[in-house]
Amino acid sequence: MSFRIALAATGLFVLAACGAPPPDQRPGSPSAAAPRPLLTADQIETGQPRPPAPPEPAPAEGAPLPAYAPDPGMVRLQILLDRSRFSPGVIDGLGGENTRQAIAAWRKAEGLGEGDAADADLLQRLAAADAGRIMTRYVLTAADVAGPFSPPAGADLAATARAGTNYTSARERLAERFHMTEPLLQGLNPGVDFRRPGQTIVVPAVTNAPLAGVARIVVDKTERSARAYDASGTLLAFYPATIGSSERPAPSGTVTVTGVAPEPDYTYDPERVSYDRGDARIVVPAGPNNPVGSVWIDLSRDTYGIHGSPDPSKIGKTASNGCVRLTNWDAEQLAAGVKPGVTVRFI
């Protein structure tokens, strides 16, 4: 793979215009009332995670999926973990393995023993360490809604290279900016027209403070995580990760960071990589939905790196081609704290 820094072009993205509302949906009629959000900011500010429910059997093939029902307490917990640099991955209000691992890592780092329970005591301790408001309001700008936008990437790498790797919509851009899923963003802001600047939306009050002083990184292939430590051995950050696959495993042993490439392009070179995407050399341009996301941390093992992802919801849940894949925002935070020579140990 080769990488270069590239700036995305700018442009204007316009969705299909909405028609005029039918007579029974005109302003003032009962059916024209503003849609209710799935959650309110006040519910999240004071929320407590629901007790874990017993696992439900998988729905039968063809059966409708359960309705999306985020837990306000879980949203609050995930935001606090994200701000503490113990990342739950993407904020979705549903929890899951990434969130449980972040809880366990935070408890251990704080000397609170083992366990991954999302309980009131955990929230109280996290909130005591970070008293800022959980949710905030944000006004959409012209830059937020401007393109260019690209179609969703498919399996055809050459087609992705031709179509571009920009965000697919302003909603996707905003969801990633605030470390959340698109369904949660839409659920918090029902009826919002994300193509129109000037509107006020409700979003998580995440922070993007850069990491500093990373001396070593430990990548746990079994746990699917990456931990960053300073020179004294203090754990600075925890990130869920997608790490290789059974067919194309991640390296073993210790390597070093050789450099960082923001906004990298991606080069598929069949003469240098072992996975088969055809015989032609393909260069995919830079963009947040590039196969390696928004940043590449180059490692001393040829063709391997720690990088971002075009699909943050799949981190820790799918396989990679041997590299370590994080959400774009986690990869950017880690990249800000490393320099050439930082050791990366795979266990």
Side-chain angles (χ1 to χ4, degrees), residues 190-346:
V192 166
D193 181 355
F194 287 98
R195 68 184 179 181
R196 184 165 59 85
Q199 296 179 98
T200 300
I201 60 174
V202 177
V203 294
V206 296
T207 61
N208 291 293
L211 200 60
V214 176
R216 64 185 175 96
I217 298 168
V218 175
V219 177
D220 190 323
K221 292 186 280 189
T222 301
E223 186 184 55
R224 294 187 176 186
S225 69
R227 286 175 163 84
Y229 296 86
D230 67 12
S232 69
T234 299
L235 179 59
L236 300 175
F238 169 93
Y239 307 109
T242 293
I243 308 168
S245 66
S246 56
E247 296 80 13
R248 292 177 286 274
S252 297
T254 301
V255 297
T256 59
V257 171
T258 61
V260 172
E263 299 297 331
D265 65 11
Y266 167 86
T267 299
Y268 169 73
D269 186 344
E271 295 184 358
R272 298 184 62 207
V273 295
S274 60
Y275 54 95
D276 183 15
R277 285 195 171 185
D279 298 328
R281 185 176 183 272
I282 301 171
V283 178
V284 182
N289 286 338
N290 179 294
V292 294
S294 61
V295 69
W296 170 270
I297 302 172
D298 197 44
L299 302 181
S300 56
R301 185 75 57 86
D302 187 35
T303 77
Y304 288 96
I306 302 172
H307 60 81
S309 169
D311 192 344
S313 68
K314 292 183 179 178
I315 293 300
K317 301 172 185 177
T318 56
S320 77
N321 291 315
C323 292
V324 180
R325 186 183 300 158
L326 313 178
T327 67
N328 277 339
W329 55 89
D330 286 344
E332 289 168 8
Q333 185 180 77
L334 179 60
V338 303
K339 59 185 179 180
V342 167
T343 61
V344 181
R345 183 186 174 208
F346 287 83

